[in-house]
PDB file of all heavy atoms in Angstrom:
ATOM      1  N   LEU A   1     -24.241 -71.723  41.524  1.00 91.00           N
ATOM      2  CA  LEU A   1     -24.730 -71.048  42.727  1.00 91.00           C
ATOM      3  C   LEU A   1     -23.542 -70.704  43.608  1.00 91.00           C
ATOM      4  O   LEU A   1     -22.697 -71.564  43.889  1.00 91.00           O
ATOM      5  CB  LEU A   1     -25.709 -71.942  43.496  1.00 91.00           C
ATOM      6  CG  LEU A   1     -27.009 -72.318  42.784  1.00 91.00           C
ATOM      7  CD1 LEU A   1     -27.848 -73.252  43.650  1.00 91.00           C
ATOM      8  CD2 LEU A   1     -27.816 -71.070  42.430  1.00 91.00           C
ATOM      9  N   VAL A   2     -23.444 -69.453  44.035  1.00 91.00           N
ATOM     10  CA  VAL A   2     -22.346 -69.022  44.894  1.00 91.00           C
ATOM     11  C   VAL A   2     -22.916 -68.356  46.143  1.00 91.00           C
ATOM     12  O   VAL A   2     -23.986 -67.741  46.109  1.00 91.00           O
ATOM     13  CB  VAL A   2     -21.391 -68.050  44.166  1.00 91.00           C
ATOM     14  CG1 VAL A   2     -20.733 -68.727  42.989  1.00 91.00           C
ATOM     15  CG2 VAL A   2     -22.125 -66.806  43.695  1.00 91.00           C
ATOM     16  N   VAL A   3     -22.170 -68.483  47.230  1.00 92.00           N
ATOM     17  CA  VAL A   3     -22.569 -67.893  48.508  1.00 92.00           C
ATOM     18  C   VAL A   3     -21.734 -66.641  48.748  1.00 92.00           C
ATOM     19  O   VAL A   3     -20.513 -66.644  48.569  1.00 92.00           O
ATOM     20  CB  VAL A   3     -22.358 -68.892  49.660  1.00 92.00           C
ATOM     21  CG1 VAL A   3     -22.712 -68.243  50.998  1.00 92.00           C
ATOM     22  CG2 VAL A   3     -23.201 -70.133  49.435  1.00 92.00           C
ATOM     23  N   CYS A   4     -22.387 -65.562  49.142  1.00 90.00           N
ATOM     24  CA  CYS A   4     -21.690 -64.323  49.483  1.00 90.00           C
ATOM     25  C   CYS A   4     -22.193 -63.823  50.832  1.00 90.00           C
ATOM     26  O   CYS A   4     -23.408 -63.735  51.048  1.00 90.00           O
ATOM     27  CB  CYS A   4     -21.920 -63.248  48.416  1.00 90.00           C
ATOM     28  SG  CYS A   4     -21.097 -63.568  46.848  1.00 90.00           S
ATOM     29  N   GLU A   5     -21.258 -63.518  51.713  1.00 89.00           N
ATOM     30  CA  GLU A   5     -21.584 -62.980  53.030  1.00 89.00           C
ATOM     31  C   GLU A   5     -20.936 -61.616  53.192  1.00 89.00           C
ATOM     32  O   GLU A   5     -20.225 -61.135  52.294  1.00 89.00           O
ATOM     33  CB  GLU A   5     -21.122 -63.954  54.118  1.00 89.00           C
ATOM     34  CG  GLU A   5     -21.848 -65.285  54.080  1.00 89.00           C
ATOM     35  CD  GLU A   5     -21.381 -66.244  55.164  1.00 89.00           C
ATOM     36  OE1 GLU A   5     -20.171 -66.210  55.491  1.00 89.00           O
ATOM     37  OE2 GLU A   5     -22.204 -67.009  55.665  1.00 89.00           O
ATOM     38  N   ALA A   6     -21.190 -60.990  54.334  1.00 84.00           N
ATOM     39  CA  ALA A   6     -20.667 -59.650  54.589  1.00 84.00           C
ATOM     40  C   ALA A   6     -19.163 -59.600  54.346  1.00 84.00           C
ATOM     41  O   ALA A   6     -18.409 -60.440  54.854  1.00 84.00           O
ATOM     42  CB  ALA A   6     -20.986 -59.229  56.016  1.00 84.00           C
ATOM     43  N   GLY A   7     -18.732 -58.633  53.555  1.00 81.00           N
ATOM     44  CA  GLY A   7     -17.318 -58.461  53.242  1.00 81.00           C
ATOM     45  C   GLY A   7     -16.891 -59.121  51.954  1.00 81.00           C
ATOM     46  O   GLY A   7     -15.795 -58.839  51.449  1.00 81.00           O
ATOM     47  N   ASP A   8     -17.727 -59.998  51.384  1.00 86.00           N
ATOM     48  CA  ASP A   8     -17.372 -60.691  50.141  1.00 86.00           C
ATOM     49  C   ASP A   8     -17.629 -59.807  48.928  1.00 86.00           C
ATOM     50  O   ASP A   8     -18.600 -59.043  48.890  1.00 86.00           O
ATOM     51  CB  ASP A   8     -18.187 -61.980  49.989  1.00 86.00           C
ATOM     52  CG  ASP A   8     -17.797 -63.036  51.005  1.00 86.00           C
ATOM     53  OD1 ASP A   8     -16.716 -62.897  51.602  1.00 86.00           O
ATOM     54  OD2 ASP A   8     -18.581 -63.990  51.205  1.00 86.00           O
ATOM     55  N   VAL A   9     -16.761 -59.946  47.928  1.00 83.00           N
ATOM     56  CA  VAL A   9     -16.981 -59.299  46.638  1.00 83.00           C
ATOM     57  C   VAL A   9     -17.765 -60.261  45.758  1.00 83.00           C
ATOM     58  O   VAL A   9     -17.398 -61.432  45.627  1.00 83.00           O
ATOM     59  CB  VAL A   9     -15.646 -58.927  45.961  1.00 83.00           C
ATOM     60  CG1 VAL A   9     -15.886 -58.409  44.551  1.00 83.00           C
ATOM     61  CG2 VAL A   9     -14.906 -57.885  46.785  1.00 83.00           C
ATOM     62  N   ILE A  10     -18.854 -59.797  45.187  1.00 85.00           N
ATOM     63  CA  ILE A  10     -19.673 -60.652  44.326  1.00 85.00           C
ATOM     64  C   ILE A  10     -18.865 -61.008  43.081  1.00 85.00           C
ATOM     65  O   ILE A  10     -18.387 -60.121  42.361  1.00 85.00           O
ATOM     66  CB  ILE A  10     -20.986 -59.932  43.955  1.00 85.00           C
ATOM     67  CG1 ILE A  10     -21.808 -59.682  45.232  1.00 85.00           C
ATOM     68  CG2 ILE A  10     -21.787 -60.743  42.941  1.00 85.00           C
ATOM     69  CD1 ILE A  10     -23.063 -58.875  45.019  1.00 85.00           C
ATOM     70  N   PRO A  11     -18.675 -62.300  42.797  1.00 83.00           N
ATOM     71  CA  PRO A  11     -17.725 -62.714  41.750  1.00 83.00           C
ATOM     72  C   PRO A  11     -18.223 -62.584  40.315  1.00 83.00           C
ATOM     73  O   PRO A  11     -17.432 -62.674  39.392  1.00 83.00           O
ATOM     74  CB  PRO A  11     -17.464 -64.183  42.102  1.00 83.00           C
ATOM     75  CG  PRO A  11     -18.728 -64.625  42.764  1.00 83.00           C
ATOM     76  CD  PRO A  11     -19.241 -63.443  43.519  1.00 83.00           C
ATOM     77  N   GLY A  12     -19.523 -62.394  40.117  1.00 82.00           N
ATOM     78  CA  GLY A  12     -20.028 -62.301  38.748  1.00 82.00           C
ATOM     79  C   GLY A  12     -21.457 -61.814  38.732  1.00 82.00           C
ATOM     80  O   GLY A  12     -22.136 -61.760  39.763  1.00 82.00           O
ATOM     81  N   ASP A  13     -21.939 -61.466  37.548  1.00 84.00           N
ATOM     82  CA  ASP A  13     -23.322 -61.012  37.401  1.00 84.00           C
ATOM     83  C   ASP A  13     -24.270 -62.164  37.695  1.00 84.00           C
ATOM     84  O   ASP A  13     -24.032 -63.311  37.280  1.00 84.00           O
ATOM     85  CB  ASP A  13     -23.575 -60.512  35.986  1.00 84.00           C
ATOM     86  CG  ASP A  13     -22.792 -59.247  35.673  1.00 84.00           C
ATOM     87  OD1 ASP A  13     -22.063 -58.785  36.570  1.00 84.00           O
ATOM     88  OD2 ASP A  13     -22.911 -58.732  34.547  1.00 84.00           O
ATOM     89  N   GLY A  14     -25.368 -61.857  38.369  1.00 87.00           N
ATOM     90  CA  GLY A  14     -26.328 -62.908  38.666  1.00 87.00           C
ATOM     91  C   GLY A  14     -27.574 -62.383  39.343  1.00 87.00           C
ATOM     92  O   GLY A  14     -27.796 -61.177  39.432  1.00 87.00           O
ATOM     93  N   ASP A  15     -28.388 -63.320  39.843  1.00 88.00           N
ATOM     94  CA  ASP A  15     -29.623 -62.988  40.551  1.00 88.00           C
ATOM     95  C   ASP A  15     -29.597 -63.638  41.929  1.00 88.00           C
ATOM     96  O   ASP A  15     -29.152 -64.797  42.080  1.00 88.00           O
ATOM     97  CB  ASP A  15     -30.847 -63.496  39.786  1.00 88.00           C
ATOM     98  CG  ASP A  15     -31.041 -62.784  38.453  1.00 88.00           C
ATOM     99  OD1 ASP A  15     -30.795 -61.559  38.421  1.00 88.00           O
ATOM    100  OD2 ASP A  15     -31.421 -63.449  37.476  1.00 88.00           O
ATOM    101  N   VAL A  16     -30.076 -62.892  42.925  1.00 90.00           N
ATOM    102  CA  VAL A  16     -30.183 -63.446  44.273  1.00 90.00           C
ATOM    103  C   VAL A  16     -31.344 -64.431  44.284  1.00 90.00           C
ATOM    104  O   VAL A  16     -32.479 -64.071  43.938  1.00 90.00           O
ATOM    105  CB  VAL A  16     -30.415 -62.331  45.305  1.00 90.00           C
ATOM    106  CG1 VAL A  16     -30.625 -62.937  46.689  1.00 90.00           C
ATOM    107  CG2 VAL A  16     -29.247 -61.356  45.325  1.00 90.00           C
ATOM    108  N   VAL A  17     -31.078 -65.670  44.657  1.00 89.00           N
ATOM    109  CA  VAL A  17     -32.128 -66.693  44.700  1.00 89.00           C
ATOM    110  C   VAL A  17     -32.481 -67.076  46.123  1.00 89.00           C
ATOM    111  O   VAL A  17     -33.455 -67.796  46.345  1.00 89.00           O
ATOM    112  CB  VAL A  17     -31.693 -67.951  43.914  1.00 89.00           C
ATOM    113  CG1 VAL A  17     -31.550 -67.628  42.431  1.00 89.00           C
ATOM    114  CG2 VAL A  17     -30.398 -68.538  44.459  1.00 89.00           C
ATOM    115  N   GLU A  18     -31.691 -66.586  47.075  1.00 88.00           N
ATOM    116  CA  GLU A  18     -31.991 -66.899  48.477  1.00 88.00           C
ATOM    117  C   GLU A  18     -31.392 -65.808  49.365  1.00 88.00           C
ATOM    118  O   GLU A  18     -30.236 -65.420  49.203  1.00 88.00           O
ATOM    119  CB  GLU A  18     -31.394 -68.256  48.861  1.00 88.00           C
ATOM    120  CG  GLU A  18     -31.647 -68.654  50.306  1.00 88.00           C
ATOM    121  CD  GLU A  18     -30.949 -69.959  50.667  1.00 88.00           C
ATOM    122  OE1 GLU A  18     -30.977 -70.890  49.824  1.00 88.00           O
ATOM    123  OE2 GLU A  18     -30.366 -70.033  51.764  1.00 88.00           O
ATOM    124  N   GLY A  19     -32.198 -65.278  50.291  1.00 87.00           N
ATOM    125  CA  GLY A  19     -31.708 -64.307  51.257  1.00 87.00           C
ATOM    126  C   GLY A  19     -31.878 -62.863  50.814  1.00 87.00           C
ATOM    127  O   GLY A  19     -32.362 -62.568  49.722  1.00 87.00           O
ATOM    128  N   VAL A  20     -31.448 -61.976  51.698  1.00 86.00           N
ATOM    129  CA  VAL A  20     -31.495 -60.537  51.442  1.00 86.00           C
ATOM    130  C   VAL A  20     -30.241 -59.921  52.050  1.00 86.00           C
ATOM    131  O   VAL A  20     -29.774 -60.365  53.102  1.00 86.00           O
ATOM    132  CB  VAL A  20     -32.776 -59.905  52.045  1.00 86.00           C
ATOM    133  CG1 VAL A  20     -32.866 -60.178  53.539  1.00 86.00           C
ATOM    134  CG2 VAL A  20     -32.822 -58.404  51.787  1.00 86.00           C
ATOM    135  N   ALA A  21     -29.658 -58.935  51.392  1.00 85.00           N
ATOM    136  CA  ALA A  21     -28.405 -58.346  51.872  1.00 85.00           C
ATOM    137  C   ALA A  21     -28.307 -56.897  51.432  1.00 85.00           C
ATOM    138  O   ALA A  21     -28.932 -56.467  50.462  1.00 85.00           O
ATOM    139  CB  ALA A  21     -27.204 -59.136  51.350  1.00 85.00           C
ATOM    140  N   SER A  22     -27.494 -56.148  52.168  1.00 81.00           N
ATOM    141  CA  SER A  22     -27.152 -54.780  51.787  1.00 81.00           C
ATOM    142  C   SER A  22     -25.883 -54.842  50.945  1.00 81.00           C
ATOM    143  O   SER A  22     -24.902 -55.485  51.329  1.00 81.00           O
ATOM    144  CB  SER A  22     -26.924 -53.930  53.040  1.00 81.00           C
ATOM    145  OG  SER A  22     -26.511 -52.638  52.705  1.00 81.00           O
ATOM    146  N   VAL A  23     -25.894 -54.172  49.782  1.00 84.00           N
ATOM    147  CA  VAL A  23     -24.792 -54.274  48.828  1.00 84.00           C
ATOM    148  C   VAL A  23     -24.240 -52.885  48.517  1.00 84.00           C
ATOM    149  O   VAL A  23     -24.999 -51.933  48.302  1.00 84.00           O
ATOM    150  CB  VAL A  23     -25.259 -54.957  47.516  1.00 84.00           C
ATOM    151  CG1 VAL A  23     -24.129 -55.022  46.504  1.00 84.00           C
ATOM    152  CG2 VAL A  23     -25.794 -56.353  47.811  1.00 84.00           C
ATOM    153  N   ASP A  24     -22.916 -52.781  48.515  1.00 78.00           N
ATOM    154  CA  ASP A  24     -22.230 -51.547  48.130  1.00 78.00           C
ATOM    155  C   ASP A  24     -21.948 -51.607  46.635  1.00 78.00           C
ATOM    156  O   ASP A  24     -21.111 -52.383  46.183  1.00 78.00           O
ATOM    157  CB  ASP A  24     -20.932 -51.413  48.927  1.00 78.00           C
ATOM    158  CG  ASP A  24     -20.106 -50.202  48.496  1.00 78.00           C
ATOM    159  OD1 ASP A  24     -20.641 -49.368  47.735  1.00 78.00           O
ATOM    160  OD2 ASP A  24     -18.944 -50.092  48.919  1.00 78.00           O
ATOM    161  N   GLU A  25     -22.651 -50.774  45.848  1.00 73.00           N
ATOM    162  CA  GLU A  25     -22.480 -50.765  44.392  1.00 73.00           C
ATOM    163  C   GLU A  25     -21.665 -49.570  43.915  1.00 73.00           C
ATOM    164  O   GLU A  25     -21.674 -49.236  42.726  1.00 73.00           O
ATOM    165  CB  GLU A  25     -23.848 -50.773  43.700  1.00 73.00           C
ATOM    166  CG  GLU A  25     -24.631 -52.059  43.918  1.00 73.00           C
ATOM    167  CD  GLU A  25     -25.865 -52.146  43.046  1.00 73.00           C
ATOM    168  OE1 GLU A  25     -26.326 -51.084  42.574  1.00 73.00           O
ATOM    169  OE2 GLU A  25     -26.368 -53.260  42.832  1.00 73.00           O
ATOM    170  N   SER A  26     -20.948 -48.918  44.842  1.00 61.00           N
ATOM    171  CA  SER A  26     -20.201 -47.711  44.464  1.00 61.00           C
ATOM    172  C   SER A  26     -19.129 -48.005  43.425  1.00 61.00           C
ATOM    173  O   SER A  26     -18.755 -47.127  42.644  1.00 61.00           O
ATOM    174  CB  SER A  26     -19.573 -47.072  45.701  1.00 61.00           C
ATOM    175  OG  SER A  26     -18.647 -47.960  46.322  1.00 61.00           O
ATOM    176  N   ALA A  27     -18.619 -49.236  43.396  1.00 57.00           N
ATOM    177  CA  ALA A  27     -17.603 -49.583  42.401  1.00 57.00           C
ATOM    178  C   ALA A  27     -18.157 -49.506  40.984  1.00 57.00           C
ATOM    179  O   ALA A  27     -17.413 -49.364  40.026  1.00 57.00           O
ATOM    180  CB  ALA A  27     -17.063 -50.993  42.660  1.00 57.00           C
ATOM    181  N   ILE A  28     -19.486 -49.585  40.863  1.00 59.00           N
ATOM    182  CA  ILE A  28     -20.113 -49.544  39.550  1.00 59.00           C
ATOM    183  C   ILE A  28     -20.788 -48.210  39.301  1.00 59.00           C
ATOM    184  O   ILE A  28     -20.638 -47.595  38.257  1.00 59.00           O
ATOM    185  CB  ILE A  28     -21.156 -50.685  39.409  1.00 59.00           C
ATOM    186  CG1 ILE A  28     -20.492 -52.032  39.687  1.00 59.00           C
ATOM    187  CG2 ILE A  28     -21.798 -50.668  38.034  1.00 59.00           C
ATOM    188  CD1 ILE A  28     -19.364 -52.362  38.756  1.00 59.00           C
ATOM    189  N   THR A  29     -21.562 -47.736  40.293  1.00 55.00           N
ATOM    190  CA  THR A  29     -22.364 -46.535  40.082  1.00 55.00           C
ATOM    191  C   THR A  29     -21.728 -45.274  40.615  1.00 55.00           C
ATOM    192  O   THR A  29     -22.106 -44.172  40.216  1.00 55.00           O
ATOM    193  CB  THR A  29     -23.728 -46.683  40.764  1.00 55.00           C
ATOM    194  OG1 THR A  29     -23.549 -46.701  42.191  1.00 55.00           O
ATOM    195  CG2 THR A  29     -24.422 -47.962  40.330  1.00 55.00           C
ATOM    196  N   GLY A  30     -20.792 -45.387  41.570  1.00 46.00           N
ATOM    197  CA  GLY A  30     -20.224 -44.204  42.190  1.00 46.00           C
ATOM    198  C   GLY A  30     -21.105 -43.662  43.300  1.00 46.00           C
ATOM    199  O   GLY A  30     -20.744 -42.712  43.984  1.00 46.00           O
ATOM    200  N   GLU A  31     -22.285 -44.251  43.507  1.00 50.00           N
ATOM    201  CA  GLU A  31     -23.203 -43.795  44.542  1.00 50.00           C
ATOM    202  C   GLU A  31     -22.860 -44.505  45.843  1.00 50.00           C
ATOM    203  O   GLU A  31     -22.855 -45.731  45.921  1.00 50.00           O
ATOM    204  CB  GLU A  31     -24.653 -44.104  44.133  1.00 50.00           C
ATOM    205  CG  GLU A  31     -25.700 -43.547  45.050  1.00 50.00           C
ATOM    206  CD  GLU A  31     -25.706 -42.035  45.063  1.00 50.00           C
ATOM    207  OE1 GLU A  31     -25.329 -41.414  44.068  1.00 50.00           O
ATOM    208  OE2 GLU A  31     -26.076 -41.484  46.105  1.00 50.00           O
ATOM    209  N   SER A  32     -22.562 -43.737  46.900  1.00 47.00           N
ATOM    210  CA  SER A  32     -22.036 -44.321  48.135  1.00 47.00           C
ATOM    211  C   SER A  32     -23.098 -45.048  48.954  1.00 47.00           C
ATOM    212  O   SER A  32     -22.785 -45.947  49.728  1.00 47.00           O
ATOM    213  CB  SER A  32     -21.393 -43.227  48.991  1.00 47.00           C
ATOM    214  OG  SER A  32     -22.342 -42.218  49.292  1.00 47.00           O
ATOM    215  N   ALA A  33     -24.372 -44.663  48.842  1.00 54.00           N
ATOM    216  CA  ALA A  33     -25.413 -45.279  49.657  1.00 54.00           C
ATOM    217  C   ALA A  33     -25.612 -46.736  49.250  1.00 54.00           C
ATOM    218  O   ALA A  33     -25.753 -47.043  48.064  1.00 54.00           O
ATOM    219  CB  ALA A  33     -26.712 -44.506  49.506  1.00 54.00           C
ATOM    220  N   PRO A  34     -25.625 -47.667  50.209  1.00 69.00           N
ATOM    221  CA  PRO A  34     -25.837 -49.077  49.877  1.00 69.00           C
ATOM    222  C   PRO A  34     -27.270 -49.317  49.422  1.00 69.00           C
ATOM    223  O   PRO A  34     -28.178 -48.530  49.708  1.00 69.00           O
ATOM    224  CB  PRO A  34     -25.540 -49.800  51.198  1.00 69.00           C
ATOM    225  CG  PRO A  34     -25.809 -48.784  52.254  1.00 69.00           C
ATOM    226  CD  PRO A  34     -25.436 -47.453  51.659  1.00 69.00           C
ATOM    227  N   VAL A  35     -27.486 -50.418  48.724  1.00 76.00           N
ATOM    228  CA  VAL A  35     -28.815 -50.782  48.238  1.00 76.00           C
ATOM    229  C   VAL A  35     -29.157 -52.175  48.739  1.00 76.00           C
ATOM    230  O   VAL A  35     -28.275 -52.954  49.142  1.00 76.00           O
ATOM    231  CB  VAL A  35     -28.893 -50.740  46.704  1.00 76.00           C
ATOM    232  CG1 VAL A  35     -28.668 -49.335  46.193  1.00 76.00           C
ATOM    233  CG2 VAL A  35     -27.860 -51.681  46.084  1.00 76.00           C
ATOM    234  N   ILE A  36     -30.442 -52.492  48.749  1.00 80.00           N
ATOM    235  CA  ILE A  36     -30.914 -53.799  49.194  1.00 80.00           C
ATOM    236  C   ILE A  36     -31.090 -54.700  47.980  1.00 80.00           C
ATOM    237  O   ILE A  36     -31.708 -54.306  46.988  1.00 80.00           O
ATOM    238  CB  ILE A  36     -32.246 -53.671  49.963  1.00 80.00           C
ATOM    239  CG1 ILE A  36     -32.074 -52.758  51.193  1.00 80.00           C
ATOM    240  CG2 ILE A  36     -32.752 -55.045  50.385  1.00 80.00           C
ATOM    241  CD1 ILE A  36     -31.062 -53.272  52.188  1.00 80.00           C
ATOM    242  N   ARG A  37     -30.564 -55.908  48.091  1.00 84.00           N
ATOM    243  CA  ARG A  37     -30.768 -56.906  47.050  1.00 84.00           C
ATOM    244  C   ARG A  37     -31.363 -58.150  47.714  1.00 84.00           C
ATOM    245  O   ARG A  37     -30.845 -58.627  48.722  1.00 84.00           O
ATOM    246  CB  ARG A  37     -29.442 -57.244  46.347  1.00 84.00           C
ATOM    247  CG  ARG A  37     -28.911 -56.073  45.508  1.00 84.00           C
ATOM    248  CD  ARG A  37     -29.774 -55.852  44.300  1.00 84.00           C
ATOM    249  NE  ARG A  37     -29.394 -54.661  43.537  1.00 84.00           N
ATOM    250  CZ  ARG A  37     -30.034 -53.516  43.578  1.00 84.00           C
ATOM    251  NH1 ARG A  37     -31.088 -53.388  44.372  1.00 84.00           N
ATOM    252  NH2 ARG A  37     -29.654 -52.495  42.844  1.00 84.00           N
ATOM    253  N   GLU A  38     -32.464 -58.657  47.125  1.00 83.00           N
ATOM    254  CA  GLU A  38     -33.172 -59.781  47.739  1.00 83.00           C
ATOM    255  C   GLU A  38     -33.715 -60.698  46.655  1.00 83.00           C
ATOM    256  O   GLU A  38     -33.864 -60.290  45.494  1.00 83.00           O
ATOM    257  CB  GLU A  38     -34.312 -59.258  48.614  1.00 83.00           C
ATOM    258  CG  GLU A  38     -35.298 -58.371  47.880  1.00 83.00           C
ATOM    259  CD  GLU A  38     -36.272 -57.693  48.812  1.00 83.00           C
ATOM    260  OE1 GLU A  38     -36.383 -58.136  49.961  1.00 83.00           O
ATOM    261  OE2 GLU A  38     -36.923 -56.707  48.391  1.00 83.00           O
ATOM    262  N   SER A  39     -34.019 -61.906  47.037  1.00 81.00           N
ATOM    263  CA  SER A  39     -34.520 -62.874  46.074  1.00 81.00           C
ATOM    264  C   SER A  39     -35.934 -62.504  45.640  1.00 81.00           C
ATOM    265  O   SER A  39     -36.741 -62.007  46.429  1.00 81.00           O
ATOM    266  CB  SER A  39     -34.528 -64.277  46.692  1.00 81.00           C
ATOM    267  OG  SER A  39     -35.345 -64.302  47.852  1.00 81.00           O
ATOM    268  N   GLY A  40     -36.208 -62.735  44.352  1.00 73.00           N
ATOM    269  CA  GLY A  40     -37.519 -62.422  43.815  1.00 73.00           C
ATOM    270  C   GLY A  40     -37.699 -60.943  43.562  1.00 73.00           C
ATOM    271  O   GLY A  40     -36.969 -60.106  44.081  1.00 73.00           O
ATOM    272  N   GLY A  41     -38.666 -60.595  42.731  1.00 64.00           N
ATOM    273  CA  GLY A  41     -38.991 -59.196  42.501  1.00 64.00           C
ATOM    274  C   GLY A  41     -37.989 -58.483  41.617  1.00 64.00           C
ATOM    275  O   GLY A  41     -37.203 -59.084  40.879  1.00 64.00           O
ATOM    276  N   ASP A  42     -38.006 -57.148  41.728  1.00 63.00           N
ATOM    277  CA  ASP A  42     -37.206 -56.306  40.838  1.00 63.00           C
ATOM    278  C   ASP A  42     -35.825 -55.988  41.384  1.00 63.00           C
ATOM    279  O   ASP A  42     -35.056 -55.304  40.721  1.00 63.00           O
ATOM    280  CB  ASP A  42     -37.944 -54.986  40.572  1.00 63.00           C
ATOM    281  CG  ASP A  42     -39.258 -55.201  39.845  1.00 63.00           C
ATOM    282  OD1 ASP A  42     -39.297 -56.098  38.996  1.00 63.00           O
ATOM    283  OD2 ASP A  42     -40.227 -54.478  40.139  1.00 63.00           O
ATOM    284  N   ARG A  43     -35.521 -56.418  42.614  1.00 74.00           N
ATOM    285  CA  ARG A  43     -34.244 -56.046  43.216  1.00 74.00           C
ATOM    286  C   ARG A  43     -33.378 -57.269  43.482  1.00 74.00           C
ATOM    287  O   ARG A  43     -32.685 -57.348  44.488  1.00 74.00           O
ATOM    288  CB  ARG A  43     -34.487 -55.261  44.508  1.00 74.00           C
ATOM    289  CG  ARG A  43     -35.238 -53.954  44.283  1.00 74.00           C
ATOM    290  CD  ARG A  43     -35.229 -53.067  45.506  1.00 74.00           C
ATOM    291  NE  ARG A  43     -35.886 -53.681  46.652  1.00 74.00           N
ATOM    292  CZ  ARG A  43     -36.007 -53.103  47.845  1.00 74.00           C
ATOM    293  NH1 ARG A  43     -35.485 -51.907  48.042  1.00 74.00           N
ATOM    294  NH2 ARG A  43     -36.636 -53.712  48.832  1.00 74.00           N
ATOM    295  N   SER A  44     -33.418 -58.217  42.569  1.00 80.00           N
ATOM    296  CA  SER A  44     -32.642 -59.440  42.763  1.00 80.00           C
ATOM    297  C   SER A  44     -31.332 -59.429  41.974  1.00 80.00           C
ATOM    298  O   SER A  44     -30.430 -60.202  42.280  1.00 80.00           O
ATOM    299  CB  SER A  44     -33.471 -60.664  42.355  1.00 80.00           C
ATOM    300  OG  SER A  44     -33.811 -60.590  40.977  1.00 80.00           O
ATOM    301  N   ALA A  45     -31.218 -58.550  40.968  1.00 82.00           N
ATOM    302  CA  ALA A  45     -30.029 -58.550  40.114  1.00 82.00           C
ATOM    303  C   ALA A  45     -28.833 -57.949  40.837  1.00 82.00           C
ATOM    304  O   ALA A  45     -28.943 -56.908  41.488  1.00 82.00           O
ATOM    305  CB  ALA A  45     -30.304 -57.769  38.838  1.00 82.00           C
ATOM    306  N   VAL A  46     -27.679 -58.610  40.741  1.00 84.00           N
ATOM    307  CA  VAL A  46     -26.431 -58.109  41.320  1.00 84.00           C
ATOM    308  C   VAL A  46     -25.359 -58.106  40.233  1.00 84.00           C
ATOM    309  O   VAL A  46     -25.436 -58.851  39.253  1.00 84.00           O
ATOM    310  CB  VAL A  46     -25.965 -58.958  42.521  1.00 84.00           C
ATOM    311  CG1 VAL A  46     -26.904 -58.793  43.701  1.00 84.00           C
ATOM    312  CG2 VAL A  46     -25.848 -60.430  42.136  1.00 84.00           C
ATOM    313  N   THR A  47     -24.360 -57.255  40.429  1.00 80.00           N
ATOM    314  CA  THR A  47     -23.300 -57.080  39.438  1.00 80.00           C
ATOM    315  C   THR A  47     -21.955 -57.494  40.011  1.00 80.00           C
ATOM    316  O   THR A  47     -21.639 -57.152  41.157  1.00 80.00           O
ATOM    317  CB  THR A  47     -23.239 -55.605  38.987  1.00 80.00           C
ATOM    318  OG1 THR A  47     -24.522 -55.203  38.520  1.00 80.00           O
ATOM    319  CG2 THR A  47     -22.224 -55.420  37.871  1.00 80.00           C
TER     320      THR A  47
END
């Protein structure tokens, strides 16, 4: 389990198990608009 706050780079692939955050995925997708990642449901996976 790792903690990530504003400004942190997510260190590995995983699932959000607690909290909700806005994530910049442009390093992977090239899409500049941030996305929401939250625990549970279909939007918990992070890269």
